[in-house]
Amino acid sequence: MSTSGEPGERKDLRQFLDQLRRQAPDELLQTRRGVSPHFEISAILARLEASRRYPALYCPEVVGSPWPVVTNLLASRRRLALALDVAERDLNATYREREGRRLQPRLVGDGPVKEVRLRAEQVDLESFPILTHNDKDVAPYITAGAMVVRDPETGIRNLGIYRHQLMGPRKLGIHLSEASHSRLIFEKHVQRGQPMELAITVGHHPAFYLAAVSTVPFGVDEYEVAGGLLGYPLPVVKCETVNLEVPAEAEIVIEGVMPVDEREWEGPLGEVAGLYGKRLYSPVIHVTAVTMRERPIYQDIFSGHLEHQLVGSTTRLGTIYNLVRAACPTVQDVFMPPSGLCRFSCYVAIHKRREGEAKNAIMAAMAADPSIKYCVVVDDDVDIFDDEQVLRAINSRLHADRDAFVIRRAMGNPVDPTGDEERLVTKVGIDATKPLSGFPETIRVPGSDQIRLEEYF
Ligand code: MN
């Protein structure tokens, strides 16, 4: 098996798809007939989802497009772990460690993403296989677009995934959320009266996408995080029409500018909580060039569904873990389960040494991430990746009157449907750890580890 950091090693979308085919073929489904990007691909995913299956989906034949589509690639922790070349149980610890490594990108002269270069007037985004996902989505949306911009004050790059509405052959909408680093950088451009240059990467290795959604502080270049996660410096090439660099091994790059004074209605789109958001009056993007591979793979993220929820939460877990660890050094791991849309609930496992420690861990987790509404702390004999075990701990170990507490009118996630007009939400902390002494012993059947069922049946 490959190890990270070997010289000459290249990790990109194609290499990762090959890795799945070799190491985990059940993680990748391939369609055997033509499929439409207009609801049909997302309908296949929704159908699989109904039976709790979340494979990556590769569609070699897409109606109206000469290019294949891959979607749902980031919808499982097993695949994210494979992307970092580790076992699933080590995903969180590995991510935390590599996020901090930070390797500066390496500027190279050429790369596969430059195989085709289209000037603005040659670009027709309407011919791209951009998916329409949910019934009331206003238009096709690029959902796996990692947008890079540069801070005009410091020159430092910022990378993040934003939703991009198809508005015309050379025009895209965007939701630049208030809390995002790109919004802050756009506001600096507005103050200077200077249009913001940008480049959107579509299609790359999952480690690149994890870097794009990492929650590193403002002023940290996410390309350096990508290097840490990949295990070698991210090779980048200069853009054609904007003063930015993009990954040399990307599938497609869309270059453009965002004027400071132009706004249009954008949305609705099925969003992370599985609900439609409001229409927003937002800046627009004018495309100035596209560079891509000869026959690129168009990558999509299944907006509003598990893939969308999971990819954004995996990186947040690092931030939450680090803060909880400051409050409670025996924290084992933290998890935001899909049952809480990977945002609203957080489970924390600790090896409790003192009464009350769990409540401090809850306060730390809630301070680390405003999205968390329900935080449950359990002992380390409970598997926090299994909702049923956490519920069992609540049912068998909790005295709600003294072990649970309510926080009224706290800041929540902007997409939380329970938020009031000021977006304030009610939060609940639950200490479901057992008391340090006097709690009955857990039953065990001796010898079950040694039983080999094939010897009996
Ligand atoms: Mn950033």
Side-chain angles (χ1 to χ4, degrees):
M1 197 197 285
S2 72
T3 52
S4 307
E6 283 168 17
E9 187 193 9
R10 282 293 163 261
K11 291 182 180 173
D12 60 17
L13 177 57
R14 288 157 199 243
Q15 171 275 324
F16 185 66
L17 292 172
D18 286 341
Q19 184 185 349
L20 285 184
R21 289 182 187 110
R22 282 196 328 270
Q23 292 180 1
D26 53 318
E27 293 283 333
L28 180 65
L29 284 187
Q30 180 165 324
T31 48
R32 59 161 186 246
R33 57 176 237 203
V35 289
S36 166
H38 189 72
F39 296 132
E40 190 179 6
I41 296 176
S42 60
I44 296 167
L45 291 180
R47 182 69 184 219
L48 288 160
E49 187 180 281
S51 50
R52 295 183 176 231
R53 294 174 67 198
Y54 307 93
L57 185 64
Y58 182 73
C59 309
E61 232 185 288
V62 178
V63 177
S65 164
W67 313 333
V69 164
V70 69
T71 181
N72 224 34
L73 189 64
L74 314 169
S76 96
R77 286 178 57 83
R78 184 175 173 216
R79 292 197 290 280
L80 293 175
L82 280 167
L84 300 183
D85 280 321
V86 294
E88 189 177 335
R89 66 177 174 280
D90 297 326
L91 173 60
N92 291 356
T94 304
Y95 176 82
R96 286 196 300 269
E97 188 261 311
R98 291 195 198 156
E99 188 198 72
R101 277 193 201 171
R102 313 267 163 93
L103 296 172
Q104 277 199 20
R106 191 166 61 87
L107 187 65
V108 296
D110 200 8
V113 75
K114 296 289 192 184
E115 284 168 10
V116 175
R117 299 171 207 231
L118 302 176
R119 295 187 308 274
E121 63 274 18
Q122 299 173 294
V123 175
D124 179 12
L125 294 178
E126 284 167 350
S127 73
F128 288 23
I130 303 174
L131 270 63
T132 316
H133 301 87
N134 302 293
D135 58 353
K136 289 186 178 152
D137 290 357
V138 71
Y141 263 83
I142 297 172
T143 53
M147 184 176 83
V148 66
V149 296
R150 194 186 300 281
D151 187 326
E153 237 168 57
T154 62
I156 299 172
R157 279 177 297 245
N158 191 74
L159 181 73
I161 300 180
Y162 300 85
R163 67 188 207 192
H164 296 290
Q165 179 185 333
L166 180 65
M167 286 186 165
R170 285 177 288 281
K171 188 173 173 188
L172 292 169
I174 187 170
H175 175 217
L176 265 186
S177 67
E178 289 86 346
S180 72
H181 294 166
S182 293
R183 173 68 168 258
L184 191 55
I185 290 171
F186 180 61
E187 278 160 9
K188 291 186 185 192
H189 283 83
V190 172
Q191 280 163 14
R192 288 156 194 249
Q194 203 177 71
M196 182 168 76
E197 297 189 330
L198 56 96
I200 302 163
T201 292
V202 181
H204 210 313
H205 192 273
F208 173 80
Y209 278 101
L210 283 174
V213 295
S214 67
T215 51
V216 290
F218 185 64
V220 175
D221 180 353
E222 282 86 358
Y223 282 180
E224 295 185 11
V225 179
L229 293 173
L230 288 164
Y232 60 88
L234 178 74
V236 294
V237 286
K238 287 220 169 285
C239 286
E240 304 291 308
T241 57
V242 292
N243 178 28
L244 286 162
E245 299 75 32
V246 286
E249 272 118 23
E251 295 292 322
I252 304 170
V253 165
I254 301 166
E255 301 179 13
V257 289
M258 194 181 289
V260 294
D261 49 2
E262 207 178 323
R263 300 283 185 282
E264 260 185 67
W265 286 104
E266 184 267 344
L269 174 77
E271 262 298 343
V272 71
L275 303 162
Y276 293 107
K278 293 192 184 109
R279 292 174 76 213
L280 298 159
Y281 202 54
S282 295
V284 295
I285 292 166
H286 294 284
V287 176
T288 54
V290 165
T291 68
M292 58 189 184
R293 297 186 184 228
E294 226 33 274
R295 187 171 178 263
I297 302 171
Y298 177 83
Q299 188 170 351
D300 172 80
I301 288 175
F302 192 17
S303 185
H305 296 258
L306 182 65
E307 181 179 34
H308 186 179
Q309 292 151 3
L310 195 68
V311 68
S313 72
T314 303
T315 56
R316 288 158 182 253
L317 295 178
T319 310
I320 297 169
Y321 177 92
N322 289 333
L323 251 98
V324 171
R325 192 156 189 272
C328 178
T330 61
V331 59
Q332 307 293 303
D333 211 343
V334 300
F335 185 49
M336 294 204 274
S339 57
L341 303 158
C342 301
R343 295 288 186 284
F344 300 148
S345 297
C346 183
Y347 300 159
V348 179
I350 66 170
H351 184 77
K352 188 164 86 168
R353 299 164 309 162
R354 291 164 66 183
E355 296 299 346
E357 207 173 16
K359 283 206 178 84
N360 291 49
I362 291 167
M363 292 189 281
M366 286 186 173
D369 195 319
S371 297
I372 300 170
K373 273 197 300 190
Y374 307 110
C375 182
V376 185
V377 177
V378 294
D379 300 298
D380 56 1
D381 62 338
V382 175
D383 179 1
I384 56 170
F385 298 97
D386 181 351
D387 278 324
E388 195 176 322
Q389 288 201 31
V390 173
L391 284 170
R392 189 178 294 185
I394 291 173
N395 280 285
S396 56
R397 299 180 186 182
L398 177 74
H399 292 263
D401 63 330
R402 46 161 227 240
D403 301 332
F405 58 96
V406 173
I407 300 163
R408 293 180 180 84
R409 292 174 58 78
M411 191 174 91
N413 186 310
V415 304
D416 187 334
T418 71
D420 66 11
E421 277 146 37
E422 297 169 279
R423 289 180 175 171
L424 300 177
V425 301
T426 304
K427 307 201 173 196
V428 180
I430 295 172
D431 170 4
T433 58
K434 55 191 179 191
L436 283 171
S437 61
F439 196 79
E441 197 179 340
T442 303
I443 61 168
R444 270 181 230 293
V445 179
S448 71
D449 299 351
Q450 280 79 51
I451 291 288
R452 296 177 55 189
L453 289 175
E454 57 276 21
E455 288 175 6
Y456 294 84
F457 306 106

